[in-house]
Amino acid sequence: MITSIDDFLRYFDAVHRRAVRDIAALPPEADGWTPAGGSGENAWSINVLVGHMAGSRLYFASAYRGDGWISPPAPDTSSRDRWLPALEASATRLRQPLAGTPDAWLRRKVE
């Protein structure tokens, strides 16, 4: 169980590194790929999924900080060369407001 914000940030860093590794390993043909069928989230392109990964981090961080469930503007993930910078930027933007928060916040309910 994660009991300190520092432990959480170390865990997040590991998850982030794996996400970057896996997204970087996608072939060039993944750029713009969408499923053959589906609707809503089931029809999102890889580009949209990467943007969602980057944005959802900040959505949850704002709620954790008590700032509300605020969706940040979607990062530009319109092409493969923008995927990793979007993920890196969101990782940095997640760490800044969470670092130094009280460890007790990890045990509280977020409204």
Side-chain angles (χ1 to χ4, degrees), residues 57-69:
R57 296 168 169 184
L58 305 178
Y59 176 73
F60 288 103
S62 70
Y64 179 79
R65 293 270 314 174
D67 297 329
W69 292 95

Side-chain angles (χ1 to χ4, degrees), residues 31-32 45 47-48 50-51 75-83 86:
D31 193 351
S45 69
N47 304 60
V48 171
V50 173
D76 182 1
T77 53
S78 60
S79 61
R80 188 174 190 266
D81 63 314
R82 298 174 185 264
W83 296 350

Side-chain angles (χ1 to χ4, degrees), residues 2-94:
I2 295 174
T3 58
S4 76
I5 195 63
D6 290 336
D7 287 345
F8 170 78
L9 291 173
R10 277 190 293 280
Y11 168 78
F12 171 77
D13 288 344
V15 170
H16 171 68
R17 284 191 305 273
R18 285 190 298 274
V20 167
R21 179 201 63 203
D22 294 348
I23 295 300
L26 291 171
E29 298 80 26
D31 193 351
W33 182 88
T34 58
S39 62
E41 293 175 0
N42 293 326
W44 285 0
S45 69
I46 295 292
N47 304 60
V48 171
L49 286 170
V50 173
H52 181 72
M53 288 170 64
S56 64
R57 296 168 169 184
L58 305 178
Y59 176 73
F60 288 103
S62 70
Y64 179 79
R65 293 270 314 174
D67 297 329
W69 292 95
I70 300 168
S71 291
D76 182 1
T77 53
S78 60
S79 61
R80 188 174 190 266
D81 63 314
R82 298 174 185 264
W83 296 350
L84 298 183
L87 290 173
E88 293 293 353
S90 75
T92 299
R93 288 184 57 205
L94 174 111

